[in-house]
Amino acid sequence: MNKLRLGFFKYSCCMGCSYFFAYVQKHVPEVLASFDFVFIKLLSRKGIPEGPFDIALVEGTITEAWQVDELKMIREHSKKLFAIGSCAVIGGIPAIKATSPELEVEKRVYKNLSSIHSIKPHAVDAYVKVDGYIRGCPPVERDLYEALTSVLTGRKPDFPQYSVCIECKLKGNICVLIADDMPCMGPVTNAGCGALCPSMNRACYSCFGPMKQANAPGLAKKFKAMGISRDDIIRKFTEFGADTIEFRKAVEMVYED
């Protein structure tokens, strides 16, 4: 059986998803043996970025025009394309700068802007069709395994589409939002992490991003009733999800309130 051709591409991010992919996972190596690594910078300086690929994994936020051009080329030469990690899936931490005018952000960082050509940060699916989302910061083995095996078997991938609260209930956790008055983002955050932070008696940071039809404004109102300041509420909804429609609704509600 011929191996499937895999490409791994990085844009604006910490490269944590590449490290996760290459070194952290425990069970995926047996699956990875079915793939030929055509291009992944972390493992080899060589490679063929032009493809073609049976599957392309893309990490990082899109923050420069050349990245958009390259991303379109990758999509054109890939049978399946998955966004991996919070930056690629929802904009992640780099998307915090989306809350300010781009020129203002550039001036905060650089004295000479003559060589700076940044654009508003966006997730990968703002520019190309995505076949699946491997969420999280960092991602989890389950979703990476699901993406890879779905391509190997020719089926549609199945990722969790419910809130972190469901995972908390399944683990028997006491709700940190209700019982401990912690500003937990679990009610509006897509599952997949196994309620990692609440299980350690910490509030969810929403690094997996909003679940579909999340009532983010409702949770923002709850935070306000708990005495959380306006600025802190805005930070909760822009730390990872500033580029998402669901969390922008909460931020807009806070500004208008």
Side-chain angles (χ1 to χ4, degrees):
M1 176 180 175
N2 294 330
K3 292 185 177 182
L4 299 186
R5 297 168 62 86
L6 183 148
F8 197 113
F9 295 86
K10 173 198 174 295
Y11 294 115
S12 300
C13 62
C14 68
M15 211 172 181
C17 296
S18 291
Y19 279 98
F20 163 78
F21 177 81
Y23 300 116
V24 178
Q25 36 70 31
K26 298 177 182 176
H27 307 295
V28 183
E30 294 178 358
V31 177
L32 291 178
S34 300
F35 292 90
D36 181 15
F37 293 174
V38 177
F39 183 77
I40 173 169
K41 281 186 177 179
L42 185 65
L43 298 182
S44 173
R45 292 183 178 180
K46 300 179 180 178
I48 308 172
E50 297 84 6
F53 305 103
D54 293 295
I55 176 174
L57 300 173
V58 179
E59 70 168 335
T61 314
I62 304 302
T63 61
E64 295 185 76
W66 70 266
Q67 297 173 345
V68 178
D69 295 337
E70 186 174 281
L71 181 62
K72 290 177 180 176
M73 182 273 292
I74 295 167
R75 174 71 273 189
E76 194 70 21
H77 297 159
S78 303
K79 293 180 180 176
K80 298 291 182 182
L81 187 151
F82 288 81
I84 179 169
S86 294
C87 296
V89 174
I90 57 173
I93 289 177
I96 291 175
K97 77 186 185 105
T99 58
S100 301
E102 189 63 25
L103 181 59
E104 183 179 310
V105 175
E106 291 176 352
K107 288 182 176 178
R108 287 185 194 177
V109 180
Y110 303 101
K111 289 184 178 179
N112 182 357
L113 301 182
S114 61
S115 62
I116 304 303
H117 306 290
S118 63
I119 60 176
K120 278 283 186 183
H122 288 302
V124 168
D125 66 1
Y127 298 102
V128 299
K129 176 189 173 185
V130 171
D131 296 296
Y133 301 92
I134 306 170
R135 297 173 176 270
C137 182
V140 295
E141 290 180 11
R142 184 267 178 201
D143 287 354
L144 176 59
Y145 180 83
E146 177 64 18
L148 295 173
T149 55
S150 72
V151 175
L152 283 172
T153 57
R155 60 177 172 79
K156 186 177 179 179
D158 180 21
F159 299 110
Q161 296 190 40
Y162 44 83
S163 75
V164 170
C165 290
I166 301 298
E167 295 184 313
C168 259
K169 294 295 183 185
L170 291 172
K171 298 186 76 170
N173 293 341
I174 295 175
C175 179
V176 297
L177 175 64
I178 301 301
D180 299 323
D181 275 341
M182 292 184 184
C184 183
M185 295 287 285
V188 296
T189 299
N190 202 94
C193 64
L196 181 61
C197 290
S199 297
M200 303 299 289
N201 200 35
R202 299 180 63 180
C204 168
Y205 292 91
S206 197
C207 70
F208 272 57
M211 57 175 282
K212 285 186 177 179
Q213 300 180 328
N215 184 6
L219 186 60
K221 289 180 181 178
K222 169 66 176 175
F223 288 166
K224 182 181 179 183
M226 292 164 58
I228 308 298
S229 71
R230 190 186 80 153
D231 288 348
D232 281 344
I233 295 173
I234 292 172
R235 291 189 188 100
K236 296 290 290 185
F237 286 95
T238 56
E239 184 175 7
F240 285 96
D243 189 39
T244 65
I245 294 174
E246 294 87 350
F247 285 3
R248 280 205 300 269
K249 289 179 180 177
V251 173
E252 291 169 2
M253 187 275 293
V254 172
Y255 277 124
E256 294 171 358
D257 196 6

